[in-house]
Amino acid sequence: MSVHDVPVDGATLHVIDEGSGPPIVLLHSLTFHSGIWDDQAAALASDHRVVRIDLRGHGGTRWAEPCDVTLEAMAEDVISVLDALDLPQVAIGGLSLGGMVALRVALLRPDRVRSLALISTSGQVEDPPVRDFYHQVNTASRNKPSDEATVGLVLSLMFSETFRKE
């Protein structure tokens, strides 16, 4: 396993790169980081090259001047990582926010995407009030250990009440 700090447009993206074979890029959900894919990466790395990227505002990715970032800008970040790692074409899997970014990578550069797995996500941009709320949640949780309130909130966004109870 190797860890890369990839400079991209005013940011340094934290990237974990492991295994060998056909490349798979895994993108995490809001408030999380590439570590959510640890188990999947361990299983896939025996016969695939697995690249996990911490999106802007998440995990080990750093930026000098935090600002509003669009899904398209995050997709461009992913494409820049593909360029830096010399990956001409990849499979991409994205969960929630990561799926929104993965979809935009496929739309911006279909020649770079061999296959796409979109998990619990949407193709639409969230309405401004919802987007503002997600921004507040991400800002409040950034660089802090997960607490019960944040975890509960994120779980309520991802899973139905019935599922959480069961």
Side-chain angles (χ1 to χ4, degrees), residues 106-119:
L107 291 170
L108 289 170
R109 292 298 306 274
D111 59 306
R112 303 297 295 269
V113 179
R114 184 178 70 252
S115 59
L116 192 60
L118 304 174
I119 306 159

Side-chain angles (χ1 to χ4, degrees), residues 25-28 37 92-96 98-100 102 117-121:
V25 173
L26 298 174
L27 303 174
H28 59 80
W37 298 109
I92 301 180
L95 172 65
S96 190
M100 296 172 104
L118 304 174
I119 306 159
S120 190
T121 192

